[in-house]
Amino acid sequence: MQNTMSKMEALNKALKILPATEEDIILRGIISKITERIAELKKAEKKLVAKYGSIEKLENKIKEEGVPPDDHTLYNNLLEWRAIRYELEELTFLLESI
């Protein structure tokens, strides 16, 4: 049977062992998660750049060609790209403010 610690037990044990405060440990965890998410988003954005060149080119393609009623891929990709940009801005701002 596997013995697992609760989050608080793990934190308390870490505080006894590590030369760090609770705030340090929590802050490092937050920073780690933010940087992981930024890396994921940049990877997803890189795929869109490879496919369309830029968000502006995708927007122009949609304006010029429209979106077929039976295939919303272009529009969905544009929405995804906008969401990625927004989240990257928010995460970058958060990371810089820490």
Side-chain angles (χ1 to χ4, degrees), residues 1 3 5-6 11 15 21 24 28 35 42 45 48-49 51 54 58 67-68 75 77 88 92 96-97:
M1 178 182 264
N3 186 13
M5 275 189 243
S6 73
L11 176 60
L15 287 171
T21 65
D24 291 337
R28 287 180 187 173
T35 54
K42 286 189 176 200
E45 186 175 40
L48 292 168
V49 168
K51 190 170 186 175
S54 72
L58 177 56
V67 177
Y75 188 66
N77 287 340
L88 280 171
T92 302
E96 289 171 352
S97 67

Side-chain angles (χ1 to χ4, degrees), residues 40-82:
E40 290 171 11
L41 292 168
K42 286 189 176 200
K43 185 177 179 181
E45 186 175 40
K46 188 176 181 180
K47 288 180 183 179
L48 292 168
V49 168
K51 190 170 186 175
Y52 300 107
S54 72
I55 195 168
E56 292 79 14
K57 287 182 182 178
L58 177 56
E59 288 170 336
N60 288 334
K61 182 179 177 91
I62 290 171
K63 284 179 188 172
E64 292 171 8
E65 299 174 16
V67 177
D70 59 339
D71 183 7
H72 296 106
T73 303
L74 292 176
Y75 188 66
N76 289 338
N77 287 340
L78 177 60
L79 292 177
E80 178 184 358
W81 205 333
R82 287 177 178 168

